[in-house]
């Protein structure tokens, strides 16, 4: 079971996202911690196994989508969201909108339930 990030860890992840947006360099360990923190928060806030969210090379989690009961299985079936770490942190912090990320091909989303915009909006409010 993943550890639930505390408020300080979420604030730190938001600061990493802000530094990236400003064009600052962020070290790999700090980037990895921010990605893992935000993924852990997402999995805690939205338990389930409908959509797999991948941010290679730092992590992947499975999340639920309200009103949906199906489960994601291993491999690369539908309902997979994947992005690079910088894009993920911009999405998770609300600095990049879901539609904009899709349009710019900065995130790939496959499957009928892979639209996680509503899940990310809640994170941006908490961060």
């Amino acid at each position: 079971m993943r550890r639930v990030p505390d408020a300080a860890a979420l604030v730190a992840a938001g600061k990493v996202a802000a530094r990236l947006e400003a064009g600052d360099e962020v070290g790999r360990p700090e980037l990895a911690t921010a990605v893992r923190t935000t993924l852990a928060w997402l999995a805690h806030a939205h338990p389930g196994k409908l959509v797999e969210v991948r941010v290679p090379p730092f992590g992947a989690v499975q999340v639920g989508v309200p009103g949906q009961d199906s489960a994601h299985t291993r491999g690369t079936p539908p309902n997979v969201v994947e992005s690079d770490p910088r894009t993920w942190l911009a999405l998770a912090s609300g600095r990049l909108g879901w539609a904009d990320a899709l349009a710019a091909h900065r995130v790939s989303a496959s499957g009928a339930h892979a639209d996680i915009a509503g899940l990310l909006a809640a994170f941006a409010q908490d961060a």
Side-chain angles (χ1 to χ4, degrees):
M1 184 168 182
R2 294 181 188 271
R3 185 177 68 83
V4 178
D6 61 19
L10 290 173
V11 168
K15 288 180 180 179
V16 170
R19 288 176 44 211
L20 290 169
E21 183 179 47
D24 295 345
E25 288 296 317
V26 174
R28 183 178 170 91
E30 198 173 6
L31 185 62
T33 298
V35 168
R36 290 177 183 138
T37 296
T38 53
L39 286 173
W41 180 92
L42 187 70
H44 172 74
H46 304 285
K49 296 185 179 208
L50 181 61
V51 178
E52 184 166 292
V53 180
R54 301 174 183 167
V55 185
F58 301 124
V61 295
Q62 291 183 352
V63 298
V65 175
Q68 304 296 325
D69 292 329
S70 299
H72 174 86
T73 57
R74 292 188 60 94
T76 311
N79 299 323
V80 174
V81 172
E82 186 166 331
S83 78
D84 65 273
R86 291 173 183 265
T87 298
W88 169 251
L89 290 174
L91 282 166
S93 67
R95 289 173 168 77
L96 176 64
W98 180 256
D100 292 336
L102 285 173
H105 304 286
R106 293 181 62 188
V107 65
S108 71
S110 64
H113 306 292
D115 182 343
I116 61 168
L119 307 184
L120 295 172
F123 173 76
Q125 292 171 3
D126 286 352

